[in-house]
Amino acid sequence: MKTPPTPSALTEIQGIEPPNILNQAVVNQYKVSRKKQLSSEEMVSKIVQGDTVTLSRAITLIESTHPNHLAKANEVIKGCLPYANASVRIGITGVPGVGKSTFIEAFGKHLTSIGKKVAVLAVDPSSTLSHGSILGDKTRMEELVKDENAYIRPSASGESLGGVARKTRESIILCEACGFDTIIVETVGVGQSETAVHSMVDFFLLLKISGAGDELQGIKRGIMEMADAIVINKADGDNIAKAKLAKTEFNRALHLFPAKKSGWTPMASTCSAYTKAGIEDVWNTISAYFELVKNNHYFEEKRQEQNQFWMMETINEHLKSSFYNHPEIVRLLEENKKAVQNNEISPFAAAMNLLQRYFKD
Amino acid sequence: MKTPPTPSALTEIQGIEPPNILNQAVVNQYKVSRKKQLSSEEMVSKIVQGDTVTLSRAITLIESTHPNHLAKANEVIKGCLPYANASVRIGITGVPGVGKSTFIEAFGKHLTSIGKKVAVLAVDPSSTLSHGSILGDKTRMEELVKDENAYIRPSASGESLGGVARKTRESIILCEACGFDTIIVETVGVGQSETAVHSMVDFFLLLKISGAGDELQGIKRGIMEMADAIVINKADGDNIAKAKLAKTEFNRALHLFPAKKSGWTPMASTCSAYTKAGIEDVWNTISAYFELVKNNHYFEEKRQEQNQFWMMETINEHLKSSFYNHPEIVRLLEENKKAVQNNEISPFAAAMNLLQRYFKD
């Protein structure tokens, strides 16, 4: 019979089962909340059922720069296309200070109150996800953001207007497939973004306030010519008389432009996003426009034109980026720019040098 | 001894020397008048000696679409570049009816009378060699065309504004090398051609008449913003009072625009190409402009910017034409346009299809 070993620091006594270092409650919680990877077919099917969570994830996919995401995004868009197009697309522009967010809030609430499903998108190349976007600050549209018949998505971030515009335009398709029948695309009234928005909407609304003195700017930059309606906001309190005067002036200015291909006569009106006065009239005007252009087939014609435009625009953008990102071209471009600067070579000969090198590959 | 052969239809009798079927006088005349093929070096040397016949031939070379001509034209331009740039380049625009030709005639004659050498070029994409160009009809500038210190060249013909503009811009280099110190580039006041001309001149003059009612057009299309001076023509006879009123109005409108990068304040004036009143003032204004921008170095800066612009513009034009003339793309473009039209594919996906095919080569 063996004696038990003398107790020593070197002998191990039998211990207890170590406790699980994972907090199972947390693990379970995580497992539930983790996003399941959906296939593109699953995404399409959920989107057309009106699932806005999936809609948001699909738009994130569109906004991604990852090549795998691009391919998947294209599949989702393709799947959504047959369900898209059954909507009215309204562009809204106005310089900072005209009360764009409060207008969209009041206008959007009116639309949902009459049974519309409203998606609000934005084209704002200056914004990033972290700062800058008017729509990024969703608290400005407190009411609309809580409305279950409204969907608000801030502007995609991106370096180029072309990129941001593409993403917004593809997002329109997904929103429509998700059942939103009224798409509002807002943009800041600066730069080229208005032209981009104009080329993706059916109706273009220019938001103004009285006495801002930027009437000439609007004419000059061609914005007033694009407008199907001018709405003078903040027509409340002491401001009503001034707003009415501005309305008369804008109506006079609008008459100076040649007749529109749509057959529509643009007009100015006043409203107050604060008192809600005139908001309903804005929608009545827009409805009258859509009745006209659907009857005279301009609606369909314009959408076809816009599609062709975006196709060409995408091609031209890619051709340029392929050229200017070519490593050899980057180097040669600097060299040739310098030679042009020193009058050693004409701009055209320099261009031909670069093109010859590029097409050699 | 043989007897001579009996005369028969089958025997040939000795005839006379046939006469030369060429009229030697005509041959000699032809040999003299036929243009000797000059090498590009010879052309450059003759151009810098002020030979306008060679200048015209070199410009014809620039305007040619033959590939061999292109190479030779580039050599001539390269050879002329060191002698170019010592000039002032003035763009003149105005809608048909403002008296552009008579103005240029009177203005050009004034310039040659004060010792300037004046070349008049044109950018008019609508013109062909056979018909259309204002400058093609040289009889409108009877006096100037006979002036040995003036050189008038009609607009190049071509289908695209880009092509016509390039040819005119390269012709400027040759004219400068040929000793012309004042280059006038005229264009019709319609379409995009004004922007093209603006980007190749130092000073941009907008020609107007009173009461034409196209003031808003000018603002709208950005022409007034580009103008360094507005000259109201036909200020003669009963028209003087109206022209002065128009001058005041245009001066007021010009003040609404933001300050120019050049530091120059654009202004309106009146003139009569018929009575010559005010023509000298136009030149005094232009001289004051050049004194300012040469002192503040805006002159050089703007020319550098224009060179870079034309380099990029040429590249972008070629990238597009290479793509859209690709035989496979021509076919695929039609297919994809149709698919976009039928909502089978998004404009972006269609564009990607085409780009993938293009870059496969």
Side-chain angles (χ1 to χ4, degrees):
Chain A
M1 197 184 156
K2 269 194 171 173
T3 50
T6 20
S8 134
L10 296 173
T11 36
E12 198 180 60
I13 58 162
Q14 196 179 347
I16 58 158
E17 182 85 358
N20 192 336
I21 59 161
L22 286 173
N23 180 338
Q24 201 55 44
V26 172
V27 169
N28 292 340
Q29 203 182 326
Y30 179 75
K31 275 187 178 161
V32 169
S33 73
R34 192 175 58 176
K35 288 173 184 173
K36 187 173 157 273
Q37 283 289 335
L38 295 175
S39 71
S40 54
E41 291 79 14
E42 287 170 320
M43 278 192 152
V44 172
S45 122
K46 276 177 176 285
I47 288 171
V48 299
Q49 281 162 35
D51 177 359
T52 52
V53 175
T54 306
L55 173 65
S56 290
R57 285 167 68 182
I59 293 179
T60 303
L61 215 53
I62 289 176
E63 290 174 359
S64 164
T65 50
H66 194 289
N68 292 352
H69 291 173
L70 181 67
K72 193 171 175 183
N74 279 337
E75 286 169 25
V76 176
I77 294 162
K78 203 171 171 180
C80 284
L81 265 173
Y83 306 96
N85 287 304
S87 76
V88 296
R89 302 170 183 165
I90 302 163
I92 296 181
T93 187
V95 295
V98 296
K100 210 149 61 252
S101 299
T102 42
F103 174 80
I104 293 174
E105 163 115 327
F107 184 59
K109 285 301 287 179
H110 172 70
L111 292 177
T112 58
S113 81
I114 58 170
K116 302 282 174 194
K117 289 195 72 187
V118 182
V120 184
L121 304 169
V123 172
D124 178 7
S126 68
S127 85
T128 64
L129 285 178
S130 50
H131 49 70
S133 170
I134 293 160
L135 275 176
D137 183 6
K138 282 196 188 178
T139 53
R140 293 229 196 148
M141 299 187 193
E142 292 197 295
E143 294 287 316
L144 202 59
V145 87
K146 286 181 284 185
D147 193 321
E148 60 171 11
N149 287 314
Y151 176 78
I152 302 181
R153 177 85 186 190
S155 181
S157 64
E159 280 153 50
S160 76
L161 170 61
V164 174
R166 177 187 68 79
K167 290 164 184 176
T168 302
R169 196 164 195 281
E170 299 199 317
S171 302
I172 292 176
I173 294 168
L174 302 198
C175 289
E176 289 173 350
C178 197
F180 292 97
D181 52 30
T182 312
I183 313 290
I184 294 174
V185 186
E186 77 141 319
T187 189
V188 285
V190 285
Q192 293 288 305
S193 56
E194 280 149 326
T195 313
V197 170
H198 180 252
S199 66
M200 63 176 84
V201 297
D202 308 310
F203 187 94
F204 198 65
L205 191 154
L206 175 56
L207 208 61
K208 288 273 183 184
I209 46 172
S210 62
D214 63 343
E215 289 76 6
L216 189 71
Q217 289 289 328
I219 301 177
K220 228 178 68 190
R221 285 167 41 239
I223 308 300
M224 208 181 282
E225 200 173 359
M226 295 196 294
D228 294 302
I230 295 178
V231 176
I232 297 127
N233 193 17
K234 302 193 183 176
D236 40 41
D238 295 347
N239 223 9
I240 295 181
K242 274 203 287 176
K244 281 194 176 154
L245 191 65
K247 172 185 145 177
T248 312
E249 277 168 14
F250 278 116
N251 267 326
R252 200 183 301 135
L254 282 170
H255 274 101
L256 293 166
F257 290 99
K260 290 205 166 218
K261 241 174 96 186
S262 56
W264 174 252
T265 310
M267 56 188 96
S269 66
T270 62
C271 85
S272 165
Y274 179 64
T275 68
K276 314 284 186 288
I279 294 289
E280 196 181 337
D281 295 335
V282 173
W283 175 244
N284 292 341
T285 300
I286 295 176
S287 298
Y289 173 83
F290 279 102
E291 206 189 316
L292 176 78
V293 296
K294 283 188 176 175
N295 277 331
N296 68 14
H297 305 294
Y298 179 75
F299 176 80
E300 180 58 24
E301 195 186 303
K302 188 178 179 183
R303 286 209 171 175
Q304 290 294 356
E305 267 174 27
Q306 290 177 334
N307 278 340
Q308 304 293 334
F309 169 80
W310 282 100
M311 179 175 166
M312 298 306 195
E313 197 70 358
T314 307
I315 289 171
N316 298 342
E317 282 300 312
H318 273 78
L319 291 177
K320 277 198 249 176
S321 80
S322 155
F323 182 87
Y324 291 107
N325 292 323
H326 187 295
E328 193 74 357
I329 294 299
V330 171
R331 191 181 61 74
L332 278 174
L333 187 65
E334 278 320 297
E335 272 181 35
N336 277 276
K337 270 186 175 178
K338 215 162 274 173
V340 167
Q341 203 161 344
N342 299 335
N343 279 318
E344 290 158 16
I345 189 172
S346 83
F348 300 97
M352 295 320 281
N353 281 349
L354 291 165
L355 288 161
Q356 258 165 29
R357 175 62 195 82
Y358 178 70
F359 285 112
K360 219 181 68 189
D361 288 355
Chain B
M1 197 182 161
K2 270 192 174 173
T3 51
T6 21
S8 135
L10 296 172
T11 36
E12 198 178 61
I13 59 162
Q14 195 178 346
I16 57 159
E17 182 84 359
N20 191 336
I21 59 159
L22 285 172
N23 179 340
Q24 200 55 44
V26 172
V27 170
N28 291 341
Q29 204 183 326
Y30 180 75
K31 275 187 179 162
V32 170
S33 73
R34 193 175 58 176
K35 287 173 183 172
K36 188 173 156 273
Q37 282 290 333
L38 295 175
S39 72
S40 55
E41 292 79 14
E42 286 169 323
M43 277 191 152
V44 171
S45 126
K46 277 177 176 284
I47 288 171
V48 299
Q49 282 163 35
D51 178 359
T52 51
V53 174
T54 307
L55 173 64
S56 289
R57 285 168 68 182
I59 293 179
T60 303
L61 216 52
I62 288 176
E63 290 174 358
S64 164
T65 50
H66 193 288
N68 292 352
H69 291 173
L70 181 68
K72 193 171 175 184
N74 279 337
E75 285 169 26
V76 175
I77 294 161
K78 203 173 173 182
C80 283
L81 266 172
Y83 307 95
N85 287 304
S87 75
V88 296
R89 301 169 185 166
I90 302 162
I92 297 181
T93 187
V95 295
V98 297
K100 213 150 58 253
S101 299
T102 44
F103 175 80
I104 293 174
E105 163 116 325
F107 184 60
K109 284 301 287 178
H110 172 70
L111 292 177
T112 58
S113 80
I114 58 170
K116 301 284 174 193
K117 289 196 73 187
V118 182
V120 184
L121 305 170
V123 172
D124 178 7
S126 68
S127 85
T128 63
L129 285 177
S130 51
H131 49 72
S133 171
I134 293 160
L135 274 175
D137 183 7
K138 281 195 187 178
T139 53
R140 293 230 196 148
M141 298 188 195
E142 288 196 299
E143 293 287 316
L144 201 59
V145 86
K146 286 181 285 184
D147 193 320
E148 61 172 10
N149 287 313
Y151 176 78
I152 302 182
R153 177 85 185 189
S155 179
S157 63
E159 280 153 50
S160 77
L161 171 63
V164 174
R166 176 187 70 77
K167 290 165 183 176
T168 303
R169 197 165 193 279
E170 299 199 315
S171 303
I172 292 176
I173 295 168
L174 303 197
C175 289
E176 290 174 350
C178 197
F180 292 98
D181 51 29
T182 312
I183 312 290
I184 294 174
V185 186
E186 76 140 320
T187 190
V188 283
V190 285
Q192 292 288 304
S193 57
E194 281 149 326
T195 313
V197 170
H198 181 252
S199 66
M200 63 176 84
V201 298
D202 308 310
F203 187 94
F204 198 66
L205 191 154
L206 175 56
L207 208 61
K208 288 271 184 185
I209 45 172
S210 61
D214 63 344
E215 290 74 8
L216 188 73
Q217 289 289 328
I219 301 178
K220 227 178 68 190
R221 285 168 41 238
I223 308 300
M224 209 181 279
E225 201 173 359
M226 295 195 294
D228 294 302
I230 295 177
V231 176
I232 297 127
N233 193 18
K234 304 194 183 175
D236 39 41
D238 296 348
N239 223 10
I240 295 182
K242 274 202 288 178
K244 282 193 175 156
L245 190 67
K247 173 184 143 176
T248 312
E249 277 168 15
F250 278 115
N251 268 325
R252 200 183 302 134
L254 282 170
H255 274 101
L256 293 167
F257 291 99
K260 291 205 165 217
K261 242 175 96 188
S262 57
W264 174 253
T265 309
M267 56 189 95
S269 67
T270 61
C271 85
S272 164
Y274 179 65
T275 68
K276 315 284 186 287
I279 294 288
E280 195 181 338
D281 295 335
V282 173
W283 175 244
N284 292 340
T285 300
I286 295 176
S287 298
Y289 173 84
F290 279 102
E291 207 189 314
L292 175 79
V293 296
K294 283 187 176 176
N295 279 330
N296 68 14
H297 305 294
Y298 178 77
F299 176 80
E300 182 58 23
E301 194 185 305
K302 188 179 180 183
R303 285 209 172 174
Q304 290 294 354
E305 266 174 29
Q306 290 177 334
N307 279 340
Q308 304 293 332
F309 168 81
W310 282 100
M311 181 174 163
M312 298 306 194
E313 196 70 357
T314 308
I315 290 170
N316 297 342
E317 282 300 312
H318 273 79
L319 291 177
K320 277 197 249 176
S321 79
S322 156
F323 182 87
Y324 290 107
N325 293 323
H326 188 294
E328 193 75 355
I329 294 298
V330 171
R331 191 180 60 76
L332 278 175
L333 188 63
E334 279 318 298
E335 271 181 37
N336 276 275
K337 271 187 175 178
K338 216 161 274 173
V340 167
Q341 204 161 342
N342 300 333
N343 279 318
E344 291 158 15
I345 189 171
S346 85
F348 301 98
M352 296 319 281
N353 280 350
L354 291 164
L355 288 161
Q356 258 167 28
R357 175 62 195 81
Y358 179 69
F359 285 113
K360 218 179 68 188
D361 288 354

